[in-house]
Amino acid sequence: MREYMFMALVAAAMTYLLVPLVRRFAIRIGAMPEVRDRDVHTTPTPRLGGLAMYGGLVLGLLVASQLPKTGEALGQDKTVIALIAAGALITLTGFLDDWWGMDAFIKLGGQIAAAGVLVYFDLRLTYIPLPQSWGGSTGLDYTLSTVITIMVVVVTINAVNFVDGLDGLAAGIVGIAAVATWTYSIFLDQVVDGNRINATAAITAVLIGMCLGFLPHNFHPAKIFMGDTGAMLIGLVLASSLVTVTPVDPSTIEGINKFPAILPLLLPVAVMVLPLTDLITAVVRRTSWGMSPFAPDRGHLHHRLLDIGHSHRRTVLIMYAWTSLFAFGLVGMSVVTVPVILFPVVILLALGVLVLMALPRWRGRGGAHAATRKDQPDDDDGPATGPMPPIRGDTPVVRQPPPPVQQRTSSEDTAVIPVFPGRS
């Protein structure tokens, strides 16, 4: 336990200390784009925070590799080399995208390449665990294992990238998911004698540290954004932990629950349910409008919560709460005896409430002022108000009448001269 805490603290300290240096670097090279229509923040903010997070990842893994218990586990599978190499590739991809901009398909190619690096170092799914009543665990040949692993990694990377829309949101959600995965791996470590479980605990401990070290700089109002550099990096690390959490032999965890074999399949769903829901709804929404699935818009879950009338910080905290409910709900069910049907029922009910909350007809008076959030200071006292031009796709805002014109007479003629603010 102390080893995991130590490596998390090392990763957090390195990330926290590097952020100010990275911020100055981002400003110097101009990685601070102008505010866009779909953005929530009001002033240009530097990106590239993921560079600091990568520094935390490298140092955390190197320290972990020197510790007695986790060092042996990480060394056998070359996990440290795999994550440092794949992390470097995905960080470079995100850096170029944040700085210069990049075509979506080129960025997808970088994600696939980074996932391929993990597979090259044998960090991949080797089988799909299933209950005996379903035919037992299904082994995967190298080709199928490679394809499925790359799919899992790419989907996780994009899900985290899609949810990164508010200050502190992605770092907090991934941090919560990492804590849940770490807790589950610790439970498994008590009954499974396999190094992959120790590796999972080490990876998630470092990921927790990366997120904790970055959040003080990124929570609203953010001084720096992680950008695609950070979002894709923490998505990659989270995906690698979900790959390694699959136990070597499902029969060895029969003491945990009635459905131990499928827990490795349920855990990724639980910790990723919010980002995955946002990803799926975004793809469906954009394709139904005839747009590219990668085309940006302002229809994400966090945008809809803002439209309801929640403040910036409250929206982030609500999504933290939902992520905690899903992730720790499954971990809790993994240590008590509950029917397997209970898990999907709870998930469906919770998702139903979340979707209903985001529907336009549930919006209150705050919905009419949703467009003002990107231009008004945000606090926890409630929704911002004030007249602003409507943003496409949101509820139109009623404009205030223009200022009355002033008249000036000269002799018998009357000249109407409009007075514009700021002009004489």
Side-chain angles (χ1 to χ4, degrees), residues 113-358:
V117 171
L118 296 179
V119 173
Y120 176 79
F121 286 99
D122 209 34
L123 202 65
R124 59 188 176 87
L125 291 168
T126 55
Y127 71 92
I128 299 178
L130 295 173
Q132 292 298 327
S133 59
W134 296 359
S137 299
T138 302
L140 302 174
D141 58 37
Y142 188 82
T143 301
L144 190 57
S145 171
T146 298
V147 172
I148 293 178
T149 301
I150 291 176
M151 287 179 59
V152 170
V153 173
V154 170
V155 168
T156 305
I157 288 174
N158 283 284
V160 173
N161 199 20
F162 271 50
V163 83
D164 181 29
L166 296 179
D167 298 351
L169 184 57
I173 285 180
V174 172
I176 293 169
V179 172
T181 308
W182 178 84
T183 305
Y184 176 64
S185 64
I186 292 299
F187 280 124
L188 288 185
D189 195 27
Q190 309 303 315
V191 294
V192 176
D193 189 16
N195 64 318
R196 296 193 78 182
I197 303 304
N198 296 334
T200 301
I203 294 170
T204 50
V206 172
L207 180 57
I208 292 168
M210 294 163 58
C211 294
L212 288 178
F214 186 70
L215 271 175
H217 300 281
N218 185 237
F219 203 75
H220 186 73
K223 303 178 183 67
I224 188 173
F225 296 151
M226 67 173 65
D228 282 4
T229 311
M232 294 197 297
L233 174 64
I234 61 177
L236 175 79
V237 179
L238 180 61
S240 66
S241 71
L242 300 178
V243 169
T244 57
V245 78
T246 306
V248 177
D249 183 4
S251 64
T252 62
I253 57 174
E254 290 293 337
I256 293 185
N257 205 294
K258 289 183 177 180
F259 51 102
I262 61 174
L263 277 175
L265 297 180
L266 296 179
L267 183 67
V269 175
V271 301
M272 291 296 296
V273 65
L274 209 58
L276 286 175
T277 301
D278 200 21
L279 173 65
I280 294 171
T281 55
V283 170
V284 172
R285 179 178 65 251
R286 293 167 183 175
T287 54
S288 65
W289 290 347
M291 301 166 58
S292 166
F294 302 101
D297 62 9
R298 199 178 184 277
H300 293 283
L301 291 174
H302 51 269
H303 289 136
R304 297 197 177 265
L305 288 174
L306 290 172
D307 291 346
I308 293 172
H310 295 293
S311 68
H312 191 127
R313 291 174 183 164
R314 192 177 296 119
T315 297
V316 172
L317 294 176
I318 288 173
M319 297 192 75
Y320 283 1
W322 279 106
T323 304
S324 302
L325 172 65
F326 291 129
F328 290 102
L330 176 65
V331 173
M333 286 191 289
S334 70
V335 295
V336 297
T337 303
V338 296
V340 67
I341 191 63
L342 182 62
F343 175 73
V345 169
V346 171
I347 290 294
L348 289 175
L349 288 176
L351 281 176
V353 174
L354 183 62
V355 171
L356 287 175
M357 287 177 59

